[in-house]
Amino acid sequence: MNHRKMQQKRLRVKIISMGNAEVGKSCIIKRYCERRFVSKYLPTIGIDYGVTKVSVKDKEVKVNIFDMAGHPYFFEVRNEFYRDAQAALLVFDVCDRNSYLALESWLTEMKQEMGRINKLDNVIFFVCANKIDKGKRAVDTLEAQLWAEDKGFKYFEMSAATGEGINELFQELFSMLVEASENGGRPVKVNTSLGFTKEQADAILRIKNGRDNFEKLGLHHSATRDDINKAYRKLAIILHPDKNVAPGSEDAFKTLVNARTALLRNK
Ligand code: GTP
Ligand code: MG
């Protein structure tokens, strides 16, 4: 095979991991590369580097993984590694709400460090919701999926402990990286086709998280029977499972019906 053809068949990529300390960045990478899980917490000191080779379509891909330390203490060490990354894993722990809320500041840090050199538009971001094996979630799938979708990022749920979702994540990531290289280094836009709107998802979240029936229906405590019925009709259209395919719409619809019945009983 001539040199040029060989080059076309070979691809080098750089992936970085980001997210708060202890969310499981190293474990996700270890699970994929070494097929194992260590339950003892061994904090990454500054940065860990690893290489793996994979084949995607007929391409040989050399994957350089820079696994960053999440602890703020290591900022000075990790900041220079953002440069030239083609993909980033934005990891949070589904049982730790702060680690989810921190994703924005990880993006800000990355932007500050590499903004002058490369554009973030050319980086493929994967939001990784880890530790789904643990139960007692503090972040809903729907909420995190919407956050990712809003930014044009891919969203995956996984457990480094059981291995669920890990191969799917990396396979999709590698195939997007190959697609991007075939597209002159620009990632092909993520198809945002969740099949539901933000209004529908917000309604589900409000019904689920509202502290009482008034709040669930978006009403004041002084609401009249008429207000209750009006709010009910509006939400019933948004939430009806025939029209709303977002996860949780069926439960939300049932809760809505019960909330209305309970509120009218007391009026
Ligand atoms: P830093 O290197 O300090 O930034 O942390 P990290 O994000 O690399 O976390 P690490 O992978 O070291 O994992 C932190 C802890 O979470 C360890 O005790 C892991 O065993 C545990 N852990 C990681 N993934 C999972 C998971 O999917 N489920 C459960 N139950 N525990 C996990
Ligand atoms: Mg680590």
Side-chain angles (χ1 to χ4, degrees):
M1 203 185 296
N2 71 34
H3 186 67
R4 202 165 155 265
K5 272 220 166 113
M6 286 278 282
Q7 289 291 94
Q8 280 175 347
K9 288 203 169 288
R10 280 210 190 125
L11 178 65
R12 279 172 67 110
V13 294
K14 173 176 172 180
I15 298 175
I16 57 173
S17 68
M18 296 153 69
N20 280 7
E22 233 177 303
V23 293
K25 299 178 294 297
S26 303
C27 286
I28 290 172
I29 293 163
K30 191 171 268 147
R31 166 61 81 179
Y32 178 74
C33 296
E34 299 172 23
R35 309 259 177 275
R36 66 194 183 99
F37 173 71
V38 181
S39 60
K40 187 164 181 275
Y41 175 39
L42 301 162
T44 303
I45 309 297
I47 202 117
D48 265 345
Y49 169 69
V51 189
T52 186
K53 267 190 191 154
V54 291
S55 296
V56 184
K57 294 192 222 158
D58 61 343
K59 269 214 165 74
E60 194 179 278
V61 186
K62 186 174 172 193
V63 187
N64 297 279
I65 305 178
F66 291 80
D67 176 25
M68 298 204 186
H71 198 282
Y73 180 77
F74 295 112
F75 170 70
E76 293 295 339
V77 185
R78 67 176 179 253
N79 64 1
E80 60 190 276
F81 290 95
Y82 285 115
R83 225 174 306 147
D84 304 324
Q86 280 116 327
L89 304 177
L90 270 174
V91 185
F92 73 96
D93 170 351
V94 293
C95 303
D96 171 6
R97 195 160 175 81
N98 280 338
S99 72
Y100 166 69
L101 297 173
L103 295 182
E104 283 286 356
S105 52
W106 281 98
L107 281 176
T108 309
E109 180 176 308
M110 181 174 187
K111 220 175 272 177
Q112 274 163 358
E113 291 315 309
M114 67 182 273
R116 280 159 279 133
I117 308 147
N118 325 83
K119 277 217 181 119
L120 282 200
D121 302 354
N122 287 347
V123 182
I124 300 172
F125 286 97
F126 273 53
V127 177
C128 305
N130 190 36
K131 307 200 190 183
I132 54 170
D133 60 288
K134 270 175 66 181
K136 270 205 164 178
R137 289 180 69 126
V139 185
D140 270 326
T141 301
L142 187 61
E143 184 185 4
Q145 206 174 1
L146 272 172
W147 183 83
E149 149 112 348
D150 189 50
K151 298 217 166 335
F153 300 166
K154 280 266 176 187
Y155 177 79
F156 277 83
E157 299 217 323
M158 70 208 56
S159 161
T162 66
E164 190 182 343
I166 302 282
N167 279 342
E168 291 84 343
L169 158 76
F170 282 96
Q171 254 146 35
E172 180 70 14
L173 181 57
F174 297 146
S175 95
M176 283 181 73
L177 281 164
V178 169
E179 254 183 278
S181 94
E182 287 166 353
N183 192 36
R186 283 177 305 279
V188 178
K189 272 253 166 277
V190 173
N191 191 6
T192 51
S193 57
L194 284 177
F196 51 86
T197 63
K198 184 159 185 340
E199 186 190 30
Q200 289 177 316
D202 285 347
I204 294 175
L205 288 172
R206 200 176 60 214
I207 293 266
K208 204 167 159 188
N209 300 329
R211 280 166 299 182
D212 59 28
N213 286 331
F214 286 105
E215 209 174 284
K216 286 178 195 294
L217 267 71
L219 290 167
H220 248 265
H221 284 207
S222 58
T224 63
R225 287 182 74 86
D226 206 28
D227 296 332
I228 294 166
N229 280 323
K230 258 193 210 144
Y232 168 80
R233 276 196 296 275
K234 190 171 165 220
L235 279 168
I237 293 168
I238 296 173
L239 287 172
H240 199 285
D242 284 353
K243 297 261 161 52
N244 188 335
V245 297
S249 67
E250 272 182 45
D251 282 346
F253 190 74
K254 280 183 213 150
T255 309
L256 169 69
V257 174
N258 292 339
R260 176 217 193 193
T261 311
L263 287 174
L264 288 179
R265 206 181 294 133
N266 298 326
K267 284 279 165 187

